[in-house]
Amino acid sequence: MSVRVRFAPSPTGYLHIGGLRTALYNYLFARHHGGRFILRIEDTDRTRYVPGSVEDILDSLRWAGIEPDESPVHGGPAGPYVQSERTELYRQHAQLLLERGTAYYAFDTPEELDRMRQRQQAAGIAPHYDRSSMRNQYTLGQEETRRLLAAGEPATIRLKVPLHGEVKFTDIIRGTIVVPCKDVDDQILLKSDGFPTYHLANVVDDHLMGITHVIRGEEWLPSTPKHLLLYEAFGWEPPAFAHLPLLLNPDRSKLSKRHGDVAVRDYIAKGYFPEAIVNFIALLGWNPSADRELYTLEELVEAFTLERVNKAGAVFDLSKLEWMNAQYLKRFVQSDLPRLIAQLRPLLAERGWSAPDIYIGQVITLLHERIHRLPELVDFARYMFTAPDYDESFFNSVWTNDSHTLLDALSALIEQTEPFTAAALQERLSAFAREHSLPFRRIGTLLRLVITGVSVGAGMMDTIALLGKEETLRRIEMFCHWVAGRVPSSA
Ligand code: GLU
């Protein structure tokens, strides 16, 4: 049997990071078994449709490198199946169930259903569709049912759930699950507007698309007994099921916006690498057998099994993601600097800054170990692209009465240094420090103030060498002007 899985998002908003994990696990499972990964947009509930969300789902998946294998049109390009283009199919299948006697017509109005729920609540029983007292094909009889249908009375089609017995199945992650039929509602399959509910469309499509494994979030577990009863109602073989653990905030509540970003697009905007996000979410709920954390997509495909997915919720630890992204940053500095330059250049342009590629690459190389995400460089390495801003408190902590004389001497030494390399600068300035019995740190800090304006950065000699002699001397001069024109902060 060849594996066929699907990711079936509803376009009700931006793709959630948990949705991306579901897509990834399906993709990894398909690849691991040489099977196929299908993408299906479940958009039959038009009231919950959010414009732009299909595009966002497709863009986010493409960004992560998780692309479907199949085309909805024979021989066409790979892409998503779209349920709203298949509604006739669901209507036909609802008819099939009516013919098999495993579904039935019901004519209850929303008000009647409300009253039913109120009665049940008052009697202290869980709300459910009470087939024996409501207005449906069984209580009205065949003739009246036909008459109402012919008169165009709004009708829904409901699943006829057996009154006795149980639904029993084995979830690959959770083990055996047993649900008594009396706890399963006579689910609406086709609404009075002719549109299918999620349950009908989902099961019909999983069957028609030959899905072998349904891998989805834990929140769908309560729907699974309904789905299994639907397979039975059609006389179909059900797929295997695997329900993935919830994603949690650090306080173990369900991952939510209040605690941070949940949309994939937010992580894209913050400049995380897709490789890092994919690696990070792969480990949210799945335990690789090896004691290791960094995996490329190919390595994940190789290592992934559903048996190693946990039941317990997985805590979304942002600091681990930051760490992981930094690991990839290091890797790409070695292996693909042009990619990093291309990512940073437009962010610099937004500030009105530009520089030759080679220089941008050198700045990234010099400073990457001090950040987690590339866009952080725009602020962190600001002074590498534009004149520094001087900060009073840093100035006050460094500047003393004899700083001017020292700066003049350093300026002359810098001017004479040739070749203008970090090593040559280090040698010359250390010799000077020794001669004048100055701690080298004092020279470094003074230059840091003058050249960068900020107290943290890369090694000062490397920074000066990269900025170049001309720019360094220009900054010393600018600084002297700033000091001369400065009004001392307070008496
Ligand atoms: N359309 C459902 C969703 O939005 C799909 C659930 C499933 O995978 O069956 O997640």
Side-chain angles (χ1 to χ4, degrees):
M1 173 188 74
S2 88
V3 161
R4 290 173 63 81
V5 293
R6 74 339 185 247
F7 175 51
S10 296
T12 53
Y14 298 129
L15 182 63
H16 191 280
I17 195 85
L20 186 66
R21 184 196 56 172
T22 301
L24 176 65
Y25 282 16
N26 275 283
Y27 178 88
L28 295 177
F29 185 74
R31 285 282 165 286
H32 184 89
H33 292 283
R36 286 190 155 211
F37 170 71
I38 286 160
L39 179 60
R40 185 171 78 219
I41 303 294
E42 301 206 324
D43 60 346
T44 56
D45 188 350
R46 302 313 283 181
T47 59
R48 295 185 60 218
Y49 175 76
V50 174
S53 51
V54 173
E55 292 72 14
D56 180 75
I57 291 167
L58 300 182
D59 289 348
S60 302
L61 291 174
R62 194 174 311 124
W63 174 82
I66 304 172
E67 302 242 38
D69 293 319
E70 213 158 275
S71 171
V73 278
H74 189 69
Y81 290 84
V82 179
Q83 285 190 329
S84 59
E85 295 166 2
R86 299 161 60 85
T87 49
E88 191 45 42
L89 213 59
Y90 312 124
R91 278 193 279 276
Q92 287 165 5
H93 280 82
Q95 285 301 323
L96 205 69
L97 292 180
L98 289 172
E99 284 159 25
R100 290 175 65 93
T102 49
Y104 61 91
Y105 283 114
F107 299 92
D108 317 282
T109 62
E111 296 71 32
E112 286 167 335
L113 290 169
D114 269 349
R115 280 199 295 276
M116 173 191 79
R117 270 181 230 116
Q118 281 160 15
R119 275 199 309 276
Q120 290 168 338
Q121 245 149 22
I125 44 177
H128 66 283
Y129 185 74
D130 182 3
R131 200 189 302 160
S132 62
S133 71
M134 300 302 286
R135 287 205 307 135
N136 55 55
Q137 161 178 347
Y138 299 108
T139 53
L140 300 171
Q142 295 300 37
E143 210 168 306
E144 177 65 358
T145 299
R146 261 197 296 275
R147 194 189 66 77
L148 290 176
L149 289 173
E153 188 85 4
T156 59
I157 298 178
R158 285 183 181 264
L159 177 65
K160 188 183 181 196
V161 174
L163 296 174
H164 307 288
E166 59 191 26
V167 185
K168 186 172 173 180
F169 67 102
T170 306
D171 184 279
I172 297 173
I173 297 165
R174 281 150 209 279
T176 304
I177 295 174
V178 183
V179 178
C181 287
K182 68 168 177 40
D183 294 348
V184 184
D185 211 3
D186 279 5
Q187 179 65 51
I188 293 182
L189 302 175
L190 204 70
K191 294 180 274 186
S192 55
D193 60 5
F195 276 88
T197 57
Y198 151 72
H199 305 282
L200 176 66
N202 186 271
V203 164
V204 166
D205 276 347
D206 281 347
H207 175 73
L208 296 181
M209 294 175 188
I211 298 305
T212 57
H213 297 76
V214 168
I215 304 169
R216 61 184 172 197
E218 186 183 308
E219 64 274 26
W220 300 101
L221 193 58
S223 297
T224 308
K226 286 179 195 171
H227 295 180
L228 286 163
L229 288 168
L230 253 174
Y231 281 97
E232 206 171 294
F234 278 115
W236 294 337
E237 189 67 38
F241 288 92
H243 288 90
L244 306 176
L246 288 178
L247 297 187
L248 306 176
N249 296 308
D251 66 3
R252 302 201 70 84
S253 58
K254 196 172 159 205
L255 188 67
S256 66
K257 250 193 212 144
R258 266 181 308 118
H259 283 75
D261 295 322
V262 292
V264 176
R265 58 159 29 217
D266 296 329
Y267 292 90
I268 300 176
K270 291 201 167 145
Y272 288 95
F273 297 119
E275 290 87 345
I277 291 284
V278 162
N279 190 158
F280 174 72
I281 61 173
L283 299 178
L284 286 178
W286 170 72
N287 277 329
S289 48
D291 184 19
R292 125 176 203 216
E293 305 219 79
L294 297 180
Y295 288 84
T296 63
L297 192 58
E298 294 71 39
E299 290 164 342
L300 288 171
V301 165
E302 179 69 30
F304 187 80
T305 63
L306 283 175
E307 283 68 28
R308 297 195 70 92
V309 174
N310 304 327
K311 272 202 275 278
V315 174
F316 190 97
D317 177 359
L318 192 61
S319 60
K320 180 162 173 191
L321 172 59
E322 294 273 287
W323 170 83
M324 203 169 262
N325 202 73
Q327 302 307 305
Y328 279 91
L329 179 55
K330 261 189 219 151
R331 194 178 276 190
F332 297 145
V333 165
Q334 301 298 324
S335 67
D336 197 358
L337 202 50
R339 162 185 177 164
L340 302 179
I341 297 167
Q343 188 184 343
L344 189 56
R345 172 174 288 293
L347 303 179
L348 297 175
E350 275 171 27
R351 302 277 181 106
W353 306 334
S354 75
D357 277 359
I358 186 154
Y359 179 82
I360 298 177
Q362 286 165 328
V363 172
I364 295 171
T365 308
L366 179 62
L367 287 155
H368 75 278
E369 284 186 358
R370 299 171 194 258
I371 54 167
H372 294 103
R373 287 176 293 114
L374 198 56
E376 289 174 53
L377 268 193
V378 176
D379 287 318
F380 190 77
R382 175 182 198 285
Y383 58 83
M384 296 308 287
F385 301 102
T386 188
D389 271 338
Y390 296 115
D391 166 66
E392 276 295 318
S393 71
F394 185 34
F395 173 81
N396 287 329
S397 71
V398 174
W399 196 252
T400 52
N401 286 338
D402 50 0
S403 291
H404 243 310
T405 329
L406 177 57
L407 189 56
D408 286 344
L410 295 177
S411 176
L413 286 171
I414 288 169
E415 168 117 56
Q416 290 153 21
T417 304
E418 215 48 70
F420 202 69
T421 62
L425 284 161
Q426 177 76 41
E427 202 183 300
R428 207 172 260 269
L429 296 182
S430 320
F432 174 85
R434 271 195 309 277
E435 252 166 61
H436 295 81
S437 307
L438 284 173
F440 186 76
R441 200 167 21 89
R442 197 172 153 214
I443 293 177
T445 311
L446 179 60
L447 288 174
R448 194 174 290 286
L449 166 70
V450 175
I451 310 297
T452 76
V454 288
S455 55
V456 286
M460 241 1 256
M461 300 306 116
D462 288 317
T463 306
I464 293 175
L466 184 51
L467 281 168
K469 188 188 282 186
E470 199 182 318
E471 176 65 13
T472 303
L473 294 174
R474 196 175 71 90
R475 288 190 182 191
I476 294 175
E477 206 179 302
M478 266 171 28
F479 176 82
C480 293
H481 278 299
W482 179 77
V483 174
R486 168 180 168 274
V487 186
S489 42
S490 63

